[in-house]
Amino acid sequence: MVYAAATAINEETAPLLAGATGEHVRHPRTVMVLTAFAAIGGFLFGYDTGVISGAMLLLKDRFSLSATQQELVVSLTVAGAIVGAAAGGRLTDQFGRRPIIIVAAVIFTAGAALLAIATAWIELLVGRAILGVAIGLASMTVPVYLAETAPAESRGRILVINNLFITGGQCVAGLVDGAFSDVTDGWRYMLGLAAAPAIMQLIGFLFLPESPRWLVEHGRYEQARAALRYVRHESVVEPELAQIQKSFAGQEQSSFRWSDLQRLPHLRRALVVGIGLQAFQQLCGINTVMYYSATILKQAGIASTSSAIWSDFLDHSIRLPISLSLVRLKKYADTLASRLIYTPTHHTYPHTHT
């Protein structure tokens, strides 16, 4: 089932990219509206990652935090994210992508509000843990929702846009930290302002459709058709709906066994590469640098707290143009992939691999 699901989206959209409708179809602007509201989840993740660096300098002075207490304020969000991500997969399968994103926005708003009014260290811990759960849910659900809802030929770029929102959130967090670094209790604004984009996402998703794939999986074909009409032109709705139904029919005929990792080397390699990339990203310690970068800068000799926070903003802002360049590179990669892979004469999804 795992490897069947991994190739299902590509299987269902290959004919569409290959020209099932006879021409390239421009999709409605609602796709970008949907992408923007969904990617706010990435923005919130980036904002929380970036904001705590500058806010920690003010929190340390305000609550006289020890090194251990500072570490707990940071790490409880990570712990909460582990819980949210672990629960997110099963919850999204059972209740849908859209409801879980809405729940994540509500939880994030509650956590940000608690941090803004916190008067004790324990309240900071609770607020940070609540934020972590929301981040875990959103990090698990938003990419799946975008992948299942985006048009096939734009899917890669739209997922990169979610990553762009993460770095954008880090950049905005650094700017907010700097703006409130000299304000009395400025940390309240730094942490509390995260509620604003969460509320925007909550309101937006009240009017956005559920994932068409999830609806088809649960037998809600008319709702899936309506969801596709929201983000597709009429000419591709029926072909894509048929392909989604076909992909699930194929999954029902296959099941995953761990012994398949020995039998299918391509699956084993993909699994090792995927896990390895995620592991090395974390083991390199970049998250620790981001969480404590302002503290590190101050310990390096910058006397003023405000100057250290603004210097930290420069660090965050460097990542944004890099992410913008990746969006452009992804466009060329998608174009090349569609020419090499998704053509009628060069189809690379044999049934023996599904």
Side-chain angles (χ1 to χ4, degrees), residues 36-165:
F37 278 110
I40 289 177
F43 179 91
L44 291 171
F45 173 53
Y47 185 90
D48 181 78
T49 301
V51 77
I52 193 61
S53 175
M56 183 57 69
L57 293 179
L58 304 182
L59 291 171
K60 177 184 177 181
D61 294 337
R62 170 63 177 79
F63 295 99
S64 301
L65 300 181
S66 65
T68 300
Q69 288 175 319
Q70 294 176 62
E71 292 165 2
L72 286 173
V73 169
V74 171
S75 60
L76 271 184
T77 298
V78 179
I82 294 173
V83 174
R90 184 175 296 274
L91 291 174
T92 56
D93 285 344
Q94 182 174 355
F95 299 106
R97 314 335 183 184
R98 177 175 169 269
I100 299 305
I101 293 176
I102 291 175
V103 168
V106 171
I107 295 174
F108 204 103
T109 302
L114 178 58
L115 289 172
I117 63 174
T119 57
W121 172 65
I122 192 64
E123 293 175 358
L124 290 177
L125 295 183
V126 174
R128 292 285 294 168
I130 291 174
L131 284 185
V133 172
I135 290 171
L137 287 173
S139 298
M140 172 64 71
T141 310
V142 167
V144 175
Y145 179 81
L146 287 174
E148 293 181 344
T149 310
E153 67 271 23
S154 305
R155 186 169 293 135
R157 294 197 300 276
I158 286 177
L159 289 173
V160 171
I161 288 174
N162 185 57
N163 290 331
L164 175 63
F165 270 60

Side-chain angles (χ1 to χ4, degrees), residues 132-352:
V133 172
I135 290 171
L137 287 173
S139 298
M140 172 64 71
T141 310
V142 167
V144 175
Y145 179 81
L146 287 174
E148 293 181 344
T149 310
E153 67 271 23
S154 305
R155 186 169 293 135
R157 294 197 300 276
I158 286 177
L159 289 173
V160 171
I161 288 174
N162 185 57
N163 290 331
L164 175 63
F165 270 60
I166 294 176
T167 54
Q170 293 171 345
C171 185
V172 171
L175 185 61
V176 170
D177 280 354
F180 291 101
S181 59
D182 287 324
V183 176
T184 302
D185 282 344
W187 58 271
R188 296 188 185 276
Y189 301 99
M190 297 175 187
L191 301 176
L193 282 174
I199 292 172
M200 288 176 57
Q201 185 180 52
L202 170 61
I203 295 173
F205 263 84
L206 294 177
F207 303 96
L208 291 176
E210 178 57 86
S211 158
R213 278 189 59 82
W214 186 87
L215 291 169
V216 169
E217 184 179 9
H218 289 77
R220 304 179 185 180
Y221 301 115
E222 288 304 318
Q223 294 180 41
R225 184 176 285 107
L228 283 172
R229 286 197 176 107
Y230 186 87
V231 292
R232 304 286 193 277
H233 281 296
E234 190 66 32
S235 60
V236 300
V237 169
E238 292 303 327
E240 185 162 343
L241 182 60
Q243 288 297 326
I244 295 174
Q245 292 174 310
K246 181 181 177 182
S247 72
F248 279 111
Q251 288 184 36
E252 291 174 357
Q253 299 173 2
S254 62
S255 60
F256 173 79
R257 297 179 300 274
W258 286 106
S259 60
D260 291 334
L261 292 176
Q262 297 295 328
R263 186 172 60 87
L264 301 172
H266 71 282
L267 178 62
R268 184 171 63 251
R269 288 193 297 268
L271 182 64
V272 170
V273 169
I275 294 176
L277 286 174
Q278 291 296 320
F280 283 118
Q281 285 178 23
Q282 302 304 312
L283 293 174
C284 72
I286 184 60
N287 288 346
T288 303
V289 174
M290 289 190 294
Y291 292 143
Y292 295 104
S293 54
T295 300
I296 294 171
L297 288 169
K298 191 169 184 182
Q299 291 178 346
I302 299 178
S304 168
T305 296
S306 179
S307 297
I309 291 175
W310 277 113
S311 298
D312 186 41
F313 163 66
L314 294 177
D315 171 58
H316 292 318
S317 62
I318 291 173
R319 303 186 190 104
L320 188 57
I322 296 175
S323 295
L324 286 170
S325 66
L326 290 177
V327 174
R328 193 65 178 176
L329 288 173
K330 185 60 180 172
K331 178 180 179 180
Y332 293 121
D334 285 347
T335 302
L336 180 61
S338 65
R339 291 177 179 175
L340 295 179
I341 299 176
Y342 300 115
T343 59
T345 59
H346 192 171
H347 194 280
T348 61
Y349 296 103
H351 293 291
T352 55

